[in-house]
Amino acid sequence: TAQSTASNVSTDNTANDQSMLPLFSRIWLTGMLLSLIYLLYSYLKTRRRLSHAVLAEDTTSERLIHTGWRLAPVYECDELPSPFAMGIFHPVIYIPFGLEACRREMILLHEQYHIRRRDHLVKLFASVLLAVYWFHPLVWLSWVILCRDMEMSCDEAVIREMGPQIRADYSASLLRLATVSYTHLRAHETLRHL
C-alpha cells in the first residue's frame, strides 16, 4: 500500500513532466524562430541601407600594402554611423563618407584585422548559437564579451602596428565614432516614436 502510493506519485510526476515537455519545446522553438527572423530582418535592413554605398577610391595605404594581406573592397555610405565589415566568403568594408585620411587609415587597418581573423564568421556562428540558446543568460553574456573582446583585440593590433604615438588620435577617433553612432541611434529612436 505504501509502495503502491509511492509508485502512483512517481508515475504522476513522470506524466506531469512529460506533459510539460511539449509546452517547453514549443516555447523554445518559438523563441529560436523569432531570434532567427530578427537576424534575417536585421541583415536585410542593413543591406537596404547599404544599397547606396559606392566603391571608395584610394583605399590602399602603405601600412595595408606592406601587411601582404588580401585587401577587402571598401565602400562608403552616408547612412552609416560607424564602419564595419560584412560578408561571408568575400567580406567588404563599409565606412562613413568624409573620413579624414589619418582616421581612415586607422579604421581600414582595424577592419582588415577583423577580416584577417575571420571575426565576421565567428560572429555569424555566435549569432546562430545565440538564436538557438536564446533563453540562457550566460550565452547572452558570452555574446557581449565576445563582441567586446573582438573590438579590443583589433584596437590593440592597430596601435601595435601604427605605434604607440597614435594612441591618443586613435582613442579620439573611437570616441568620435561612438558619439556619432550614439547620436545616430538616438535620432532614429526619436523619429520612430513620432
Side-chain angles (χ1 to χ4, degrees):
T1 55
Q3 286 181 337
S4 66
T5 306
S7 174
N8 288 341
V9 170
S10 176
T11 306
D12 288 343
N13 285 341
T14 306
N16 285 338
D17 289 346
Q18 288 178 352
S19 68
M20 295 297 287
L21 190 59
L23 174 66
F24 290 135
S25 296
R26 282 191 221 117
I27 291 171
W28 172 71
L29 281 172
T30 302
M32 185 177 70
L33 287 174
L34 289 174
S35 297
L36 291 172
I37 288 169
Y38 178 76
L39 282 174
L40 181 63
Y41 168 76
S42 297
Y43 173 77
L44 294 174
K45 184 178 173 184
T46 302
R47 293 299 302 171
R48 188 170 22 104
R49 282 178 47 197
L50 298 174
S51 64
H52 301 292
V54 295
L55 187 62
E57 297 177 17
D58 188 33
T59 59
T60 58
S61 74
E62 289 299 313
R63 276 185 219 291
L64 289 174
I65 291 171
H66 290 302
T67 59
W69 300 344
R70 181 188 148 277
L71 302 180
V74 179
Y75 286 82
E76 293 179 310
C77 186
D78 270 338
E79 298 191 28
L80 294 181
S82 62
F84 61 90
M86 185 169 150
I88 296 175
F89 299 111
H90 302 287
V92 175
I93 297 172
Y94 294 94
I95 60 174
F97 266 117
L99 292 175
E100 302 140 14
C102 179
R103 286 180 60 208
R104 182 185 181 111
E105 181 179 12
M106 289 185 265
I107 287 168
L108 290 178
L109 192 56
H110 176 99
E111 295 304 326
Q112 285 288 1
Y113 270 109
H114 277 302
I115 292 170
R116 181 172 172 80
R117 295 174 180 190
R118 303 197 190 320
D119 286 347
H120 56 291
L121 298 177
V122 172
K123 240 179 178 176
L124 176 63
F125 180 70
S127 297
V128 172
L129 282 178
L130 187 62
V132 172
Y133 296 103
W134 59 268
F135 58 89
H136 202 300
L138 290 180
V139 175
W140 285 94
L141 179 64
S142 298
W143 167 261
V144 170
I145 292 170
L146 172 79
C147 293
R148 189 194 66 202
D149 285 353
M150 282 181 179
E151 292 303 321
M152 288 175 57
S153 176
C154 288
D155 292 338
E156 290 170 3
V158 169
I159 290 171
R160 192 171 44 251
E161 176 72 28
M162 296 185 83
Q165 68 277 8
I166 63 102
R167 186 169 296 178
D169 290 338
Y170 190 66
S171 298
S173 292
L174 291 175
L175 185 60
R176 201 171 307 130
L177 283 171
T179 304
V180 168
S181 183
Y182 177 76
T183 304
H184 186 72
L185 178 67
R186 295 297 300 161
H188 278 286
E189 288 295 319
T190 302
L191 289 174
R192 191 175 3 186
H193 293 316
L194 291 179

